[in-house]
Amino acid sequence: MKSKNSETIVTPEFLLETKEEQALKRLEVVIDSRQVDSNLEIEICFAELNDYNKKKISILLGILYFELKQIIFSKKYLEIALTLHKPLENLEILLYLGRIFYYEDNFLNFIELITPNLNKLLKNNIDISTKILYNYAYSLYKIKDVQTSNKILLTLLKRKNESEINFKINNLIAIISYSELNKINKAIKSYKKLFENSTVEEKLVIYGNHLEIFLINKSKIDFDEIKNNILKILGFYETSTEHKFKLYILIAKCYLALNNQKMAYYFYMLGLKLPNNNLISFDIKYEVTIDILKNILLDEIQMNEVIEIFLEFFNLNKNYKMALAFIKNLKSEDRKLDILSKLE
């Protein structure tokens, strides 16, 4: 009754427990330990629960998987939680789903999820509601509904928000100003005011947005100064992999705009080779490799390096549509055939 390799102690109490009680205990141990050894075991245990326990555990599993950067499983359990709760009964579900939809570039679905409850959220003046509404405004901006996005952001500014979300709101208003409304001077002025009381992380965000302004209008920004400031901060401060990736790719694009292909390639590769980059969507990484093929004259060694990175992404994601887009941008017919033979 007791396996040598099992950590489970078989007692009379254990044998008298129902399957659901055993499953619930196992899931609680997993959630408390903050690690998952077997997704299948979790699924089997979860299936044993009644709806009451599923309602509680599904949110905890969704958040745990999100923290472990296993986005597919996080979304699965959060969507289960959504069906088991009444609208706005637990706002954490909407908050984490918003972050997942952001990762997936699935902004329209998030808008459709929030819109039926928009008025209630606007009346609910608490921090988590403000965060969800910010994600909603950001999603509207991404689908080019900038007027509605701006309106919601200005409404949120009237709330007494925590400094982090307040910065994000002001930042997105500035982004809309320079990227959609052609009000570059207004955005630069806003950033100058924001910069004074910003954290190191927020300063990196502001510098990154200055690079985006440079790509729109080179005369407004001193690229070398901004780039050097970014690299200086990254020399002593550890930002997230996703943020670092974005900064390196922006620097690469700025070098391309200055016709410096050598430095553009260097920073593109710095971004693509960052470790622990699984929260950066595969589509974005594919697009970067395609940008390199389109815009940089690669030597043999560089071409092999880019193809190797592309195949690594493909083997993890199997995105044939992006793979074909990559292959179409290869000039050598032999290379095209060689890569096609490796796509399973």
Side-chain angles (χ1 to χ4, degrees):
M1 291 179 69
K2 191 159 73 172
S3 167
K4 282 185 179 180
N5 299 322
S6 173
E7 294 180 1
T8 303
I9 300 173
V10 180
T11 63
E13 291 78 11
F14 177 84
L15 293 172
L16 289 171
E17 286 176 349
T18 65
K19 284 187 177 181
E20 180 176 9
E21 289 171 332
Q22 292 172 12
L24 187 59
K25 280 188 176 180
R26 176 62 189 137
L27 289 172
E28 287 173 344
V29 168
V30 168
I31 290 165
D32 289 342
S33 69
R34 315 309 294 163
Q35 62 182 26
V36 175
D37 296 324
S38 168
N39 294 319
L40 180 59
E41 181 191 9
I42 299 299
E43 191 171 345
I44 292 169
C45 288
F46 187 79
E48 295 288 349
L49 304 181
N50 60 33
D51 281 350
Y52 174 80
N53 284 321
K54 282 181 178 177
K55 185 176 179 179
K56 177 181 69 171
I57 297 297
S58 56
I59 298 176
L60 298 175
L61 284 175
I63 294 172
L64 172 61
Y65 273 116
F66 187 88
E67 291 172 355
L68 296 175
K69 301 183 180 180
Q70 295 190 40
I71 300 301
I72 293 173
F73 292 103
S74 177
K75 185 178 181 182
K76 171 185 173 180
Y77 286 105
L78 287 169
E79 287 184 335
I80 291 171
L82 194 65
T83 65
L84 295 171
H85 286 75
K86 297 175 183 176
L88 305 187
E89 184 180 353
N90 192 314
L91 292 179
E92 274 196 307
I93 302 169
L94 298 180
L95 180 64
Y96 279 92
L97 280 174
R99 292 169 179 171
I100 289 170
F101 283 129
Y102 169 82
Y103 164 76
E104 294 179 334
D105 287 339
N106 197 350
F107 302 106
L108 191 56
N109 276 13
F110 185 64
I111 290 167
E112 291 172 350
L113 176 64
I114 298 300
T115 299
N117 301 300
L118 180 59
N119 289 332
K120 289 181 180 178
L121 282 166
L122 286 168
K123 292 175 184 176
N124 190 351
N125 194 12
I126 58 174
D127 286 343
I128 191 168
S129 174
T130 302
K131 289 176 181 177
I132 292 166
L133 286 167
Y134 167 78
N135 290 341
Y136 180 72
Y138 183 84
S139 299
L140 288 166
Y141 156 72
K142 293 297 286 186
I143 67 163
K144 301 298 183 182
D145 187 353
V146 294
Q147 298 299 333
T148 308
S149 176
N150 215 31
K151 183 179 177 181
I152 290 171
L153 291 167
L154 291 172
T155 301
L156 294 180
L157 270 187
K158 296 174 184 177
R159 297 182 172 188
K160 292 182 179 180
N161 301 307
E162 60 186 53
S163 58
E164 177 193 1
I165 196 68
N166 202 45
F167 172 83
K168 288 182 177 180
I169 293 166
N170 279 293
N171 180 49
L172 186 50
I173 291 172
I175 290 172
I176 290 172
S177 294
Y178 72 73
S179 67
E180 301 296 334
L181 305 178
N182 199 28
K183 296 180 179 179
I184 293 176
N185 289 335
K186 180 182 177 181
I188 292 173
K189 187 176 179 181
S190 297
Y191 282 132
K192 188 175 181 180
K193 185 178 178 181
L194 275 176
F195 194 87
E196 296 172 2
N197 298 311
S198 296
T199 65
V200 176
E201 185 72 21
E202 290 166 350
K203 284 180 170 64
L204 277 177
V205 171
I206 292 172
Y207 283 140
N209 290 338
H210 276 76
L211 294 180
E212 290 185 351
I213 294 173
F214 176 81
L215 291 170
I216 298 169
N217 189 327
K218 297 182 182 65
S219 65
K220 298 289 184 181
I221 300 294
D222 184 335
F223 167 66
D224 283 329
E225 180 184 353
I226 297 297
K227 176 208 66 178
N228 290 337
N229 286 337
I230 290 171
L231 296 179
K232 183 178 178 181
I233 290 175
L234 292 179
F236 70 85
Y237 174 78
E238 192 61 38
T239 187
S240 69
T241 301
E242 303 93 284
H243 195 188
K244 194 178 289 186
F245 174 85
K246 181 179 180 180
L247 290 169
Y248 285 153
I249 300 307
L250 277 171
I251 292 172
K253 288 182 176 181
C254 290
Y255 270 121
L256 266 185
L258 295 169
N259 296 315
N260 189 334
Q261 293 195 2
K262 180 180 178 182
M263 292 303 295
Y265 179 80
Y266 173 77
F267 279 99
Y268 271 134
M269 298 310 289
L270 272 184
L272 289 172
K273 290 183 174 182
L274 283 171
N276 302 317
N277 63 4
N278 55 323
L279 270 186
I280 303 164
S281 77
F282 285 102
D283 286 357
I284 291 173
K285 289 184 280 194
Y286 277 126
E287 285 169 7
V288 170
T289 61
I290 292 170
D291 274 350
I292 294 171
L293 291 181
K294 281 183 176 178
N295 298 305
I296 298 178
L297 187 62
L298 302 172
D299 60 31
E300 194 74 12
I301 294 173
Q302 290 171 333
M303 180 64 78
N304 290 336
E305 192 173 28
V306 173
I307 290 173
E308 184 181 342
I309 287 174
F310 155 75
L311 289 173
E312 180 185 330
F313 294 157
F314 176 79
N315 288 331
L316 290 170
N317 186 245
K318 304 295 184 184
N319 187 325
Y320 287 92
K321 183 178 178 181
M322 293 301 296
L324 291 173
F326 179 88
I327 292 168
K328 284 171 82 173
N329 282 281
L330 291 169
K331 294 179 175 64
S332 167
E333 294 299 322
D334 289 340
R335 283 190 182 275
K336 288 181 181 181
L337 292 172
D338 181 51
I339 293 177
L340 279 170
S341 69
K342 293 176 181 177
L343 303 185
E344 298 176 359

